[in-house]
Amino acid sequence: KAGVTQTPRYLIKTRGQQVTLSCSPISGHRSVSWYQQTPGQGLQFLFEYFSETQRNKGNFPGRFSGRQFSNSRSEMNVSTLELGDSALYLCASSLQLAGSTDTQYFGPGTRLTVL
Amino acid sequence: AQSVTQLGSHVSVSEGALVLLRCNYSSSVPPYLFWYVQYPNQGLQLLLKYTSAATLVKGINGFEAEFKKSETSFHLTKPSAHMSDAAEYFCAVRSDDKIIFGKGTRLHILP
């Protein structure tokens, strides 16, 4: 069974631009969660989508948004990029909601660098 | 809201020695607790999870963790470290339908 895939793996953008990251969950998984990982702040929860609906959201500005498609694939978008948005963005999928005891499976991440 | 604190951002142990990574949680309700491992340039992988069943939880790669309510701890141990255990380890807790991660502990294995 294929794991969680994220594209692209690496991305370089400049301040003010916008970016879209993609996550394909494990087949059959309906929940996709997004996390931002930085050396200073560690792993921070961005949002979770389940059956095309946003079920939970972390403390991030409105520049960060996402969506989920009917095939459970998810995208996250960051508009008006800032230097501080440079991070590893991880997505995780699970059968049930992330808040359950169900195991979350993580993708390898997208490394975003903002210049 | 629940939270976790990992003591020690870096831990070094000799190959073959005991591995002990510390995690304390704060929770007003029985918690669900997790340990994840992250190898360089990879995503996170679940090592084990506590879901209010047995207090001693066995995970993959020889790791285990013991839930101690009186100490609000969920420390991760492995009897004998291997070079391949070098990675970053994250303790996490379920809180408000989200998974909240600790800051992580980088484990170094000395030959």
Side-chain angles (χ1 to χ4, degrees):
Chain A
K1 189 185 253 188
V4 178
T5 58
Q6 292 187 245
T7 56
R9 291 292 310 277
Y10 301 91
L11 207 50
I12 299 176
K13 292 286 188 180
T14 57
R15 279 182 300 174
Q17 288 187 307
Q18 76 166 21
V19 67
T20 299
L21 311 182
S22 179
C23 173
S24 292
I26 291 173
S27 177
H29 285 193
R30 294 192 294 166
S31 168
V32 174
S33 297
W34 289 89
Y35 298 86
Q36 181 195 66
Q37 185 177 23
T38 59
Q41 299 298 318
L43 273 158
Q44 292 185 284
F45 172 77
L46 278 157
F47 29 65
E48 179 189 12
Y49 286 86
F50 186 84
S51 296
E52 301 179 67
T53 302
Q54 188 180 88
R55 298 302 295 266
N56 223 328
K57 192 176 192 307
N59 296 324
F60 279 82
R63 300 185 297 107
F64 292 82
S65 62
R67 59 178 175 169
Q68 186 180 35
F69 302 95
S70 58
N71 62 357
S72 292
R73 189 177 70 86
S74 178
E75 290 181 345
M76 69 162 279
N77 183 276
V78 187
S79 62
T80 320
L81 284 166
E82 301 177 358
L83 295 178
D85 297 332
S86 294
L88 180 67
Y89 289 88
L90 294 164
C91 88
S93 78
S94 56
L95 281 168
Q96 301 299 328
L97 288 168
S100 71
T101 60
D102 200 28
T103 297
Q104 283 194 302
Y105 295 87
F106 282 78
T110 294
R111 173 77 61 185
L112 172 65
T113 302
V114 182
L115 303 176
Chain B
Q2 285 87 328
S3 64
V4 290
T5 301
Q6 292 183 243
L7 300 176
S9 57
H10 292 265
V11 169
S12 295
V13 301
S14 298
E15 191 174 18
L18 171 72
V19 175
L20 171 61
L21 303 182
R22 300 177 188 274
C23 173
N24 289 88
Y25 69 90
S26 67
S27 175
S28 57
V29 298
Y32 288 162
L33 295 159
F34 309 83
W35 273 101
Y36 284 86
V37 62
Q38 185 177 33
Y39 297 101
N41 299 316
Q42 294 187 28
L44 276 70
Q45 181 182 11
L46 181 68
L47 279 174
L48 48 83
K49 60 184 177 183
Y50 169 76
T51 58
S52 73
T55 56
L56 183 63
V57 183
K58 293 188 183 298
I60 62 172
N61 301 340
F63 285 94
E64 62 182 37
E66 186 172 8
F67 173 72
K68 291 187 176 180
K69 185 177 179 180
S70 61
E71 299 176 10
T72 61
S73 68
F74 190 57
H75 302 332
L76 181 71
T77 61
K78 181 174 180 177
S80 178
H82 192 272
M83 295 300 290
S84 61
D85 294 328
E88 189 154 21
Y89 293 78
F90 293 90
C91 183
V93 65
R94 187 187 74 168
S95 173
D96 298 329
D97 293 328
K98 299 190 291 283
I99 305 298
I100 306 299
F101 289 87
K103 294 290 189 183
T105 297
R106 187 166 294 279
L107 178 63
H108 304 271
I109 309 298
L110 307 173

